[in-house]
């Protein structure tokens, strides 16, 4: 028999089983960094906008690359849905 107290538990179980878009976007962000000749290392979220037009801005450190003054090279990757674009 279905009880009214079970409804929140069922709803939370269904929500927990859905994939999170941020995890799916990290793979696409790393692929975009590879296309920009950057072997991805550490991935950091700089900005996340939730809602109908969700957007995530990542900072990806390029492994094995340094600037002339010894700083790490990083690219920023902007993802909307599953489409990611890079910029330095």
């Amino acid at each position: 028999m279905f009880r009214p107290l079970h409804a929140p538990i069922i709803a939370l179980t269904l929500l927990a089983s859905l994939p999170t878009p941020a995890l799916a976007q990290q793979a696409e962000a790393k692929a975009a960094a590879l296309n920009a000749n950057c072997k991805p290392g550490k991935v950091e979220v700089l900005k996340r906008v939730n809602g109908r037009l969700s957007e995530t801005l990542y900072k990806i450190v390029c492994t094995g690359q340094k600037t002339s003054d010894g700083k790490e090279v990083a690219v920023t990757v902007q993802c909307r849905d599953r489409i990611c674009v890079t910029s330095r």
Side-chain angles (χ1 to χ4, degrees), residues 6 8 16 23 34 37 39 51 55:
H6 290 123
L23 294 177
L34 273 174
N37 296 324
K39 185 177 177 185
E55 177 182 325

Side-chain angles (χ1 to χ4, degrees), residues 20-36 40 43 56 58 60 75 77-86:
T20 57
L23 294 177
Q25 287 180 354
Q26 279 193 6
E28 283 85 4
K30 287 181 179 181
L34 273 174
N35 288 338
V43 178
T56 309
Y58 294 99
I60 300 178
V75 294
V77 179
Q78 179 185 24
C79 295
R80 290 184 183 156
D81 290 327
R82 295 185 73 145
I83 300 172
C84 297
V85 195
T86 59

